[in-house]
Amino acid sequence: IVAQAIYANEQRRANRQEPREHLAQAVARFPENLDLLAYRIEVALIEYKVELAASLLQTAPQSALQDPRFWRFKASVHEDRDEIELAVSAVNKSLELYPLGWRSQKILAGLLRRRGDQDNATRLSRQSTEGKHIEDALNSLIESKAWLTVPGLPGQMVKFARLSGDREAEFLSE
């Protein structure tokens, strides 16, 4: 029975590794695919493999410079290395490219807190939480297209966009 349990455990471990190997192979096969690379980097960061994420960032094609995810990942790598100013610069670039990026806002809030800027950190943390709630609501409703009928959600979206500095939101009504 013990041998069977050990064997079953080894099988489960092997099955968990297999998708990561396929992902690594896919990234190697399609190096210009930003979505694959972004997913691979995000998995590395989630698993606290920061140096792997850093080396993957080095392989990113030139087009990644216009993708806010890669700047956010870069900020996470810098933050892990205690390179706070480089992290702030990278996350600000991410927010410049996509002001509604609540994940980037959350990272910036943490960085501001580490700098001692509690007021702006608190404001940005609340703002990023609002963005996450909106994204969660949209994700749960997207299939049914019922999001347009949820009271207040379109107004919340416009308010969040304005707070995030989205210039196009200036022309929308709540």
Side-chain angles (χ1 to χ4, degrees):
I1 293 176
V2 172
Q4 288 175 340
I6 291 171
Y7 177 76
N9 189 42
E10 289 301 315
Q11 288 299 104
R12 282 192 295 276
R13 186 179 324 180
N15 288 339
R16 281 193 304 262
Q17 289 296 69
E18 190 173 301
R20 286 173 184 78
E21 291 170 13
H22 289 302
L23 180 58
Q25 291 169 357
V27 169
R29 185 170 177 202
F30 304 105
E32 296 295 317
N33 187 318
L34 292 181
D35 292 325
L36 275 173
L37 182 58
Y39 182 67
R40 177 104 160 85
I41 294 169
E42 192 158 27
V43 167
L45 289 171
I46 288 169
E47 294 178 344
Y48 300 104
K49 297 179 180 175
V50 178
E51 292 312 311
L52 173 60
S55 68
L56 289 167
L57 279 167
Q58 296 295 322
T59 69
Q62 190 71 19
S63 58
L65 293 174
Q66 296 306 311
D67 188 321
R69 297 173 296 181
F70 290 89
W71 290 100
R72 185 179 79 233
F73 300 150
K74 188 173 180 156
S76 294
V77 169
H78 286 306
E79 182 178 18
D80 186 74
R81 294 175 175 171
D82 286 326
E83 300 167 343
I84 303 305
E85 295 311 312
L86 292 173
V88 168
S89 178
V91 78
N92 277 333
K93 180 63 177 176
S94 177
L95 287 167
E96 177 186 315
L97 292 169
Y98 183 57
L100 304 180
W102 67 264
R103 289 172 183 86
S104 295
Q105 293 174 357
K106 189 167 194 69
I107 291 170
L108 182 56
L111 292 167
L112 292 174
R113 193 168 284 111
R114 287 180 72 175
R115 275 183 168 174
D117 188 351
Q118 299 303 321
D119 291 340
N120 283 322
T122 300
R123 179 190 56 77
L124 204 51
S125 182
R126 287 185 183 139
Q127 184 175 314
S128 70
T129 300
E130 180 68 19
K132 181 177 182 341
H133 290 314
I134 291 169
E135 182 179 285
D136 290 345
L138 288 173
N139 284 337
S140 67
L141 298 171
I142 200 111
E143 292 298 319
S144 67
K145 299 199 189 274
W147 68 275
L148 291 172
T149 63
V150 175
L153 185 58
Q156 285 179 310
M157 293 167 58
V158 170
K159 181 180 174 186
F160 176 71
R162 286 183 181 150
L163 285 172
S164 299
D166 186 342
R167 291 189 181 110
E168 293 177 25
E170 296 171 12
F171 304 106
L172 301 174
S173 62
E174 290 182 42

